[in-house]
């Protein structure tokens, strides 16, 4: 059964946006996994480009946002670039609003 | 590396570069160093070195300190070298310009100014080359290879320039005199073609793919483009130096290098087309639309070059060709990308630290594209009119074009200052609790 903290954490992460695309990291599909055990949250997420200075701010932003959720004891954010992010991970409504090409 | 840092001095380089660009425009308006006059005339040397070192090289160095770490996903070898390098380059350029003005009789004779300027510039560029070279060398793939070849070309350009500076002071002996008499085209092409153009191409591959969410151009494909460009530079530097050494003519070397340069530009056009074709973001931001005008200017430079060679009028119009390459292609691309880079870095500096704590604006909320469009349009149209005025040998029309270019550049600089001051960000999001407004001239982080 999914831990009841997962959805509040996911909602809290929506305050973190990708500065370039201007949408939140959850709807952009940057958040690969949220795992919770006894209040300890482990977020696995990605970004568009590994060396970009925005990447570390995204990681710290996710850490901060998740920490604000009541009941969260600790947050560990792990950045990964495997699998690499692609625009087909964006939720369809946001993809349309961003004017993206159709993703096959 | 998960996430690079913000280069503290990139904005300082940009500010210095834009100041020199305004100086160049002023010189052209008052008619000092008219691009169509003799390339070796002291006033022309002042103009050319202000534009190539002060404007383009400083802007390029500032951008590279930020973007080479992004290209290779590794930290910069030494952030601490960037500011001393800028101070040395500025002092070297001022000394060099004073030396040229003394040559032209605008200042009292002081032959030591040129060698002093050369030594300061060599030291400054050495810091840049070692810092960026060691960074790029850690992962020399795709665009980073372009930067490495660009840095090698910069070294060749600086070596030629140093020999010239010592020869003009009468300190380089007979060999120096011979190199000075025949080597100026090699110095100019290694600088404009090798250092500035190949580096701009390399950075553009990554920036365009990143901002338009296009897949990176395959290494195998971009390598062909780079090989053509690198061979052109090698032919100019190696072949040209050998021709001078053996007392042979330079025409064959120049013809082969020009052909290779055209192949490089054509392959680059093919690479750009594939980036634009495969992009996921359909809407093009202003910086990208304006970059397209600079790519068109590069294509125009190639076509104009072919036309001038085939009509045997190149020597008469080399100033117009160089003007279009410098202001249409290189300066246009740098201005378009500055507009984006300043907004992006300003966003990171101001809003990065408060992410997750408060709602933040988008990068696009820092800019006013509609207002900026007219300044860019003014700039490009006046560059193209200026090129036509030079071809038609109409100095008054050229000065009018230079005035219009200045209006465009002042407008763009004003937009960049507004970005830095967050003046176009709506007030509820402008400075969330904990955010600190950026300094105009350097990054606080």
């Amino acid at each position: 059964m999914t831990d009841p903290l997962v959805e509040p954490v996911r909602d809290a992460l929506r305050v973190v946006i990708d500065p370039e695309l201007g949408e939140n990291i959850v709807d952009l599909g940057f958040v690969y996994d949220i795992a919770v055990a006894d209040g300890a949250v482990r977020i696995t997420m990605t970004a568009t480009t590994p060396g970009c200075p925005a990447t570390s701010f995204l990681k710290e932003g996710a850490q901060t946002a998740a920490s604000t959720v009541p009941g969260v004891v600790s947050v560990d954010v792990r950045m990964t670039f495997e699998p690499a992010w692609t625009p087909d991970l964006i939720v369809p409504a946001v993809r349309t609003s961003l004017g993206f090409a159709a993703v096959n | 590396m998960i996430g690079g840092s913000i280069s503290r001095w990139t904005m300082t380089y940009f500010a210095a570069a834009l100041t020199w660009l305004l100086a160049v425009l002023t010189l052209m308006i008052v008619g000092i160093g008219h691009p169509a006059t003799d390339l070796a005339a002291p006033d022309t040397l002042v103009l050319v070195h202000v534009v190539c070192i002060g404007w383009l090289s400083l802007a390029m160095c500032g951008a590279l300190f930020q973007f080479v770490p992004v290209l290779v996903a590794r930290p910069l070898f030494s952030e601490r070298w960037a500011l001393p390098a800028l101070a040395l380059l500025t002092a070297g350029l001022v000394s060099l310009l004073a030396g040229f003005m003394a040559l032209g009789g605008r200042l009292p004779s002081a032959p030591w100014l040129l060698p002093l300027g050369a030594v300061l510039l060599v030291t400054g560029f050495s810091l840049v080359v070692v810092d960026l070279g060691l960074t790029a060398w850690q992962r020399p793939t795709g665009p980073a290879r372009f930067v490495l070849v660009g840095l090698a070309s910069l070294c060749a350009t600086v070596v030629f320039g140093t020999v010239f500076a010592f020869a003009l002071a009468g300190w380089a002996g007979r060999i120096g005199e011979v190199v000075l008499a025949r080597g100026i085209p090699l110095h100019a092409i290694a600088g404009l073609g090798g250092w500035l153009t190949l580096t701009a191409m390399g950075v553009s591959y990554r920036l365009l793919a990143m901002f338009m969410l296009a897949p990176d151009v395959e290494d195998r494909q971009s390598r062909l483009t780079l090989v053509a460009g690198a061979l052109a530079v090698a032919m100019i530097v190696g072949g040209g130096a050998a021709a001078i050494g053996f007392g042979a003519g330079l025409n064959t070397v120049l013809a082969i290098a020009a052909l290779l340069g055209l192949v490089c530009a054509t392959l680059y056009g093919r690479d750009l087309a594939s980036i634009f074709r495969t992009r996921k973001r359909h809407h093009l931001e202003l910086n990208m639309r304006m970059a397209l005008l600079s790519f068109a200017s590069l294509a125009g430079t190639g076509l104009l070059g072919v036309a001038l060679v085939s009509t045997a009028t190149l020597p008469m119009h080399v100033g117009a060709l160089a003007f279009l390459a410098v202001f249409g292609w290189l300066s246009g691309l740098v201005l378009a990308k500055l507009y984006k880079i300043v907004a992006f870095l300003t966003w990171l500096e101001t809003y990065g630290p408060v992410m997750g704590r408060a709602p933040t604006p988008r990068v696009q909320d820092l800019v006013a594209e509609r207002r900026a469009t007219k300044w860019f349009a003014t700039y490009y149209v006046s560059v193209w009119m200026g090129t036509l005025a030079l071809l038609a040998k109409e100095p008054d029309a050229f000065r009018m074009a230079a005035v219009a270019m200045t209006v465009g550049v002042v407008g763009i600089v004003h937009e960049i200052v507004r970005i830095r001051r967050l003046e176009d960000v709506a007030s509820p999001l402008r400075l969330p609790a904990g955010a600190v407004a950026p300094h105009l001239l350097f990054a606080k982080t």
Side-chain angles (χ1 to χ4, degrees):
Chain A
M1 193 181 113
T2 310
D3 191 284
L5 273 178
V6 169
E7 283 315 309
V9 167
R10 195 185 306 280
D11 280 343
L13 291 179
R14 286 196 162 89
V15 76
V16 182
I17 65 159
D18 176 84
E20 186 53 29
L21 298 172
E23 295 290 343
N24 72 73
I25 59 174
V26 174
D27 289 344
L28 288 173
F30 284 7
V31 179
Y32 284 172
D33 186 51
I34 301 171
V36 184
D38 299 329
V41 177
R42 181 171 181 156
I43 298 166
T44 306
M45 63 177 285
T46 192
T48 51
T49 309
C52 176
T55 306
S56 49
F57 289 127
L58 287 174
K59 183 183 178 203
E60 287 159 23
Q63 166 102 34
T64 308
S67 303
T68 62
V69 176
V72 169
V73 177
S74 66
V75 181
D76 174 28
V77 180
R78 194 170 69 91
M79 281 304 244
T80 181
F81 290 91
E82 287 183 12
W85 178 84
T86 64
D88 58 356
L89 294 172
I90 306 175
V91 300
V94 171
R95 201 160 62 212
T96 308
S97 72
L98 283 171
F100 274 57
V103 179
N104 298 316
Chain B
M1 180 178 71
I2 301 288
S5 53
I6 299 171
S7 170
R8 187 168 171 77
W9 305 112
T10 288
M11 289 302 156
T12 323
Y13 273 77
F14 289 171
L18 287 168
T19 305
W20 284 114
L21 174 59
L22 291 170
V24 172
L25 293 165
T26 307
L27 288 173
M28 290 198 297
I29 290 169
V30 299
I32 295 177
H34 190 287
T37 56
D38 177 16
L39 198 61
D43 281 354
T44 308
L45 292 175
V46 169
L47 184 78
V48 165
H49 287 84
V50 172
V51 76
C52 290
I53 300 176
W55 158 231
L56 291 171
S57 292
L58 289 188
M60 188 64 80
C61 289
L64 290 177
F65 281 125
Q66 182 61 58
F67 278 97
V68 171
V70 177
L71 295 181
V72 298
R74 300 278 191 280
L76 191 65
F77 176 73
S78 174
E79 173 74 22
R80 282 186 303 179
W81 292 9
L83 193 60
L86 177 60
L88 286 162
L89 292 173
T90 305
L93 178 58
V94 169
S95 181
L96 196 72
L97 299 178
F100 290 140
M101 286 196 267
L103 271 186
R106 291 182 184 273
L107 288 178
S109 174
W112 50 271
L113 279 170
L114 290 172
L116 173 67
V119 169
L120 290 168
L121 287 168
V122 166
T123 316
F125 277 126
S126 296
L127 288 181
V128 171
V129 168
V130 172
D131 202 1
L132 295 173
L134 287 177
T135 309
W137 191 253
Q138 296 178 81
R139 202 161 163 237
T141 54
R145 281 201 200 100
F146 279 78
V147 174
L148 286 168
V149 176
L151 292 174
S153 307
L154 171 61
C155 293
T157 311
V158 170
V159 168
F160 274 117
T162 305
V163 173
F164 298 163
F166 278 76
L168 283 168
W171 299 356
R174 204 186 61 81
I175 294 176
E177 299 291 335
V178 173
V179 175
L180 175 63
R182 304 189 56 213
I184 290 173
L186 313 184
H187 172 65
I189 295 169
L192 276 181
W195 157 231
L196 293 167
T197 289
L198 287 180
T199 309
M201 284 178 173
V203 174
S204 71
Y205 278 106
R206 191 73 200 95
L207 281 185
L208 265 52
M210 201 160 80
F211 288 133
M212 292 195 294
L213 291 181
D216 285 318
V217 172
E218 273 185 39
D219 256 19
R220 203 174 47 181
Q221 185 178 325
S222 65
R223 198 180 300 155
L224 270 182
T225 312
L226 178 60
V227 165
L231 283 176
V233 177
M235 175 54 68
I236 279 292
V237 175
I244 290 174
F246 291 116
L250 279 176
N251 283 349
T252 310
V253 167
L254 291 173
I256 297 172
L259 200 62
L260 287 164
L262 270 181
V263 172
C264 174
T266 307
L267 290 173
Y268 178 60
R270 174 204 59 170
D271 298 343
L272 287 180
S274 83
I275 293 177
F276 275 87
R277 203 175 43 244
T278 57
R279 74 185 194 272
K280 294 294 184 190
R281 262 179 124 172
H282 266 188
H283 173 72
L284 292 181
E285 291 175 357
L286 177 68
N287 76 90
M288 217 56 80
R289 295 199 300 276
M290 295 305 109
L292 283 172
L293 298 183
S294 82
F295 300 139
S297 300
L298 175 63
T301 306
L303 291 174
L304 180 61
V306 170
L308 294 177
V309 168
S310 57
T311 54
T313 53
L314 180 63
M316 214 179 353
H317 295 302
V318 74
L321 188 70
F323 179 81
L324 183 58
V326 164
F327 290 101
W329 152 236
L330 286 167
S331 301
L333 184 66
V334 170
L335 285 170
K337 289 301 147 192
L338 273 193
Y339 184 73
K340 177 70 187 182
I341 294 169
V342 170
F344 193 71
L345 292 181
T346 302
W347 190 99
L348 290 177
E349 198 187 332
T350 312
Y351 303 109
V354 295
M355 270 227 280
R357 298 176 209 278
T360 50
R362 304 167 306 153
V363 174
Q364 276 303 89
D365 296 329
L366 273 65
V367 300
E369 289 199 343
R370 189 188 293 263
R371 205 176 50 225
T373 302
K374 65 174 182 288
W375 303 123
F376 276 101
T378 304
Y379 175 79
Y380 277 105
V381 169
S382 54
V383 167
W384 296 331
M385 298 310 273
T387 308
L388 292 176
L390 287 174
L391 288 170
K393 303 231 176 269
E394 292 285 349
D396 289 339
F398 176 76
R399 280 190 190 186
M400 293 283 289
V403 170
M405 280 169 73
T406 309
V407 170
V409 169
V410 168
I412 293 167
V413 170
H414 183 239
E415 293 300 320
I416 287 174
V417 170
R418 286 183 65 90
I419 291 171
R420 212 53 203 143
R421 291 187 171 152
L422 310 172
E423 286 181 22
D424 289 309
V425 185
S427 58
L429 291 176
R430 190 165 176 262
L431 273 182
V436 180
H439 191 279
L440 185 62
L441 297 177
F442 58 84
K444 287 177 177 170
T445 48

